Structures are given as C-alpha cells and as structure tokens.
Amino acid sequence: AQKVTQAQTEISVVEKEDVTLDCVYETRDTTYYLFWYKQPPSGELVFLIRRNSFDEQNEISGRYSWNFQKSTSSFNFTITASQVVDSAVYFCALSPPNTGNQFYFGTGTSLTVIP
Amino acid sequence: EPEVTQTPSHQVTQMGQEVILRCVPISNHLYFYWYRQILGQKVEFLVSFYNNEISEKSEIFDDQFSVERPDGSNFTLKIRSTKLEDSAMYFCASSWTLNTGELFFGEGSRLTVL
C-alpha cells in the first residue's frame, strides 16, 4: 500500500523563525519519487522539489532544505527564516513506479507565518 | 516556460447539471491526468490518459466521469450529472513520459455544485 502521512495539520510560526514540516511515507517499492508542493491561498499547486529514492543527499535551495532519510521513510522540509509569503498549505507526495504517474498526496500541513 | 492551462478557473453549477472542465496540456506531452481536491482535503488521483484511452483510473472515477481529447490540444473532464460532493478543485496535469514523476500541474478549476 502507498501512503503519505503529514502528521502536522497546522503550524504557526513568527516571521524569521525556522520551521520543519514532516513527511513520512509507506511503500513496498524500492524505487519511487517524493515531492513537495506548495498550495497558496489562490489554490494552484506549486512544485518545490522532486527526489528519486536512490538519491539520499539532502538538498538546499535558498531558504528551503529537504532531509531525505530512507531508513526512516521520511522526507522532511525545512524553511529557514520564514517569511509571511511562505504561508500556504504544503503537500508531500509519493509516486511509485509503474503506476502511471499516480501521485499519493499527504493531507497537507497548513503553515501560517505571523509577521 | 510551457505550462498547463485550465478553464474555467471557477464554475458554479446546479446539482444534476453536466459540467465540462477543459485543459490544454503542454504541447509535446503524451500523458494526461486529472486530479481532484475536495476543499481542505488531500489531492487525489482520478484518471490518466494516453493514446486516446484511459490508462489508469481510481475508484473515484465512476460512470459519471469521462475524459476526452477531442482535438490535438484540449483534454476535457466531463461530469455528467453533478452532485454536491463533486464540489472540489480539479487539477489537470501532463507529462512527457510515464513513471518518472515529472508531472506538470495546471492551476486548477474550482467547481462549486449548488
């Protein structure tokens, strides 16, 4: 079974604080892709990152960083020095192979950054 | 930068009416998808489409739903007789290949059924 769990439903932080959004996934496949998407209030899905299960190197992009731990089936997302514009719902997603690009999304974490 | 475009951005309809949501995938893509997000919930896969036929579909995609690629550019989702629970954001997506996770989402069409 494929499943993505985002246990944090809502998080509030004060601007400039760091925040980590957790993502835990379940799959029996040995190869797969993991993703993070941002959904601002306007509703569109904004692609943030794609990670191949073979690549366990952590990645940093500006204020964003991702920590992929295959041993614990986690793919956590950290925003450093948060800004008000980071306020959105963030979705983690899993795409196993041979499913025709079916994405399994988590339930999302709603992040509010307070000025 | 090429993008997936969807129309309308928001549609309000009465229960029982037929609705067609339209999508223009990225031009050289071969695989097309519809996903659905009920307000406040997660995004769920509905259907994938390739070579003018459905490749995969979820349990959500029942007989009231259909997809079509009527010409070389549009990809449509039809809901025959809308129900209140069809109110959701519908995302179209496209990809050049399968199983690489390179999916490009449109901005979504919000459907409200009254």
Side-chain angles (χ1 to χ4, degrees), chain B residues 24-107:
Chain B
V24 178
I26 294 173
S27 63
N28 62 343
H29 284 186
L30 302 176
Y31 301 87
F32 315 110
Y33 314 83
W34 284 100
Y35 281 76
R36 180 182 81 175
Q37 183 188 26
I38 294 172
L39 184 64
Q41 299 186 22
K42 63 182 176 183
V43 180
E44 298 174 292
F45 171 79
L46 288 179
V47 65
S48 60
F49 190 86
Y50 169 70
N51 200 25
N52 281 320
E53 59 183 32
I54 291 173
S55 306
E56 305 275 351
K57 62 180 181 179
S58 70
E59 294 176 353
I60 304 169
F61 194 86
D62 61 23
D63 291 344
Q64 70 160 338
F65 291 97
S66 61
V67 288
E68 190 179 33
R69 189 155 161 82
D71 53 41
S73 59
N74 289 287
F75 177 52
T76 62
L77 173 69
K78 181 191 290 186
I79 309 174
R80 287 190 183 81
S81 178
T82 49
K83 298 178 281 197
L84 295 177
E85 53 264 38
D86 294 327
S87 295
M89 180 78 98
Y90 290 82
F91 290 101
C92 175
S94 69
S95 67
W96 168 242
T97 62
L98 264 185
N99 302 318
T100 61
E102 288 188 288
L103 211 59
F104 294 80
F105 284 93
E107 294 194 343

